[in-house]
Amino acid sequence: MTEFKRDGSQLVSTPPVDKWDDWGELDPEAWPRRVEKHYQLVPTICFNCESACGLLAYVDKATGQIDKFEGNPMHPASRGRLCAKGPATITQIHDPDRILYPMKRSGPRGGGKWTRTSWDEVLETFGTRIRKAMQDNRGEEVMYHVGRPGHDFIMERTLQAWGIDGHNSHTNVCSSSARLGYLLWHHADRPSPDHANARFILLLSAHLESGHYFNPHAQRIIEGKMAGAKLAVMDPRLSNTASMADYWMPSYPGTETAVLLAMAMVILSENRFDAAFVRNWTNWEELEVDGFSAKGQSFEALIEALKRHYAKFTPEFAEKESGVKAEVIVKTAREIATAGSRFASHLWRGSSSGNLGGWQSARALMLLHVLTGSVGTPGGHNLNAWNKFVPRPYKNPPPQKRWNELLYPPEWPLCVHEMSPLLPHFLKEGRGRIEAYFTRVFNPVWTYPDGFSWIEMLRDEEKVGLHAALTPTWSETAWFADYVLPMGFSSERHDLMSQESYAGRWIGFRQPVLRVLQEREGKKFDYTYQANPGEVWEEDEFWINLSWAIDPDGSMGIRQWFESPYRPGQKLTVDEYYGWIFENSVPGLPAAAAKEGLKPLEYMRKYGAYEVTTDVHRLNEKPVAPADLTGSSVEANGVVKKDGKSVGVMVEGKAVVGYNTPSRKLELFSKTMADWKWPEFALPEYYRSHIHRSAQAASTGESVDDFDKRYMPLVEWPKDANGPVYTLLPIFRLPHLIHSRSGNSKFLYEMAHKNPLWLNPTDAAKLGDIRTGDLLKVHTEAGYFVLHAWVTEGLAPGVVACSHHMGRWRLNKEDHVERMSSAWVDLKEVGKGQWKMRQLSGVAP
Ligand code: SF4
């Protein structure tokens, strides 16, 4: 905690922990009178993105109400700092339009008529329907579809306990592509950059401003910069992040991989790569490319083969593809080589989504880390699995026995996440139906590109038997549910979270603030909804109780997983679930708690977070455990095997654990891709995607060089467009917005409530002297929309951009809607599969 001294008095940036039970502050509303207000401060975790920053709820001792949220200085990742969305939680919990009670529809689906119901009725209805489906061997008809998880493992455990493959997510329209690229290298699907200690940071998106680990990363990127690191941002938009960068590289979407490979080629051709690292830690001996096989060849021959293979990626070629200047590519490549093992980067959506082949940008970015030996190093790229810490509960059910092919369809054998955008189409084709469908903080009707297909699916009671929207706010999707079930915000629920925010491991504990405070005073609650506003509940207790409702007598084998570890045969409580984890699964926590005379659960309730370790570097170099070595054997490729399973790899004569890949090394050459008959994807490669400019040229009959047209036929650029054709960049959001839930926060909507189409002045001139504020009609493959123009040099020419986090709509003018953030609209089905929406009135105070 930072302390500032001035004139003998002491100002503190955050209240010290020993004052949390009684913290006095002047009441700003009483100004100019000096009236002191007294608060109890209770830590919890922000629920407004997946960063899981620590909040402190300020509960007014006089009223018992939460007055505001600030940062928790004891949280190791956020360290007392928040983005705008953390403090804005206060407007979410006091939103006059929020849902306070479980609601059941009272007319046709989508009719907008609701009546209040009880949690008991909800549990009984769903428990009965799900039990029957399972007894009829139709378990795959039960589906949980999540937008924003906000917790670790408990839901996966619940679905495994039910014995079903019922988990669906939105990931395939988000980070899935980048994750595949990382996964093929090291089997961890995300990077964990050590920004604070880096010398050079490369971001392939607006990561500092609005990326997945936003605030914890942003503060460390700036720390790195303050210590002398250079920052480069490759993004067609001049985001707030790019505006802080030493190098803004406004690449044409889908061409980033060409730039990365050109950088790799600079490092290779100037022999500035870390040869020892590449030799020891990649599976280079398995490489086969352009008729060259590395088997039995020298390492030097391999390097020559790589140089030949990537020779076409000259800086000039990359400039032609991407628009990024050749000299900038060379300069940044050299700076990356100089940073060496202290080169950090991040990619989440950015270059990887919205273009075919985008997943290869993660493959190519990792190649830079491999060449510089910056994997597992201080200031380098760590694996998320090394930093994110998910402690295990008291017992865990076995994985489900059957795949659900509505989620993992056989046509996509390598999809790494559920193919969720296809669900309405699969149901239309008759591939299956859903008996019980839970959408959970998820709004596909509004989020997905073809949201109206979701309306068609959701209102069909044959295809979707029963639909519950578990949500804190009204949404376009909740409108088409049978039940709308209010779930809590940051201060109204339990969850355990961890993220790969920095070079360390930590856990954060979200807790229902008013319940915790009243329990401290001796009041008893069976369920969190008894302490929350209205009857707002939390998912943890909901799933435990629903599991008991499905299997009331335990005969289905489900109930056993939701029984107390301390009171055999009794229903598990949230205190018991987390208490057991904190006592048994978090190294060091029981001792830290004991030092203060607390139980581990009491410690977590007091501080809200715990740092497990900061010893997270080079975990691949850990020696294989002696027990694993006994009776093991070493394969020809150096992999150490025991009982048919690989447990490590030989490196420089030592048996070390390596990476969790087939070769136990970083997979420069993905044998997995080759074995699955995609040898052309086995190395990091660049392919021109369907949005490449040459695809546009080809569609209008212009001649195109023959670099690679693999994807071009998949999408035909319109030949008869009534105006120029542009790539639409929809894969960014403004940093103050919360995916699909900003509408519930007055503070955030006051900051950002316009969603214009960005376009470069050269394009504005080409289109006929377009001025900021003019109305534009944008046609896409799915239809058209109308919006205002914003003419800005903050976007590369040839691209138009529109954030994906605004444009909310509602069908009722007043009731059961979020009024302040949505337009009241008239929605009509004007033909088969054709919909038209017109505003009746726009957003108003
Ligand atoms: S980055 Fe902002 S929204 Fe995300 S958890 Fe932290 S404070 Fe909340």
Side-chain angles (χ1 to χ4, degrees), residues 312 317 320-321 686-688 692 694 698 702-710 712:
K312 55 190 173 250
F317 171 77
K320 207 168 131 236
E321 293 295 291
Y686 170 59
Y687 298 98
R688 284 177 174 168
H692 190 271
S694 59
E702 285 176 42
S703 67
V704 179
D705 67 66
D706 59 358
F707 173 77
D708 195 319
K709 297 177 188 153
R710 191 174 315 241
M712 292 183 193

Side-chain angles (χ1 to χ4, degrees), residues 719-741:
K719 292 188 179 73
D720 52 355
N722 187 16
V725 180
Y726 286 88
T727 291
L728 172 65
L729 186 80
I731 53 167
F732 69 98
R733 71 177 155 88
L734 303 183
H736 354 276
L737 298 184
I738 314 167
H739 291 282
S740 64
R741 282 167 293 130

Side-chain angles (χ1 to χ4, degrees), residues 46 48-49 51-53 82-83 85-86 214-215:
C46 181
N48 285 339
C49 84
S51 300
C53 298
L82 302 171
C83 79
K85 291 174 293 202
F214 180 12
N215 160 42

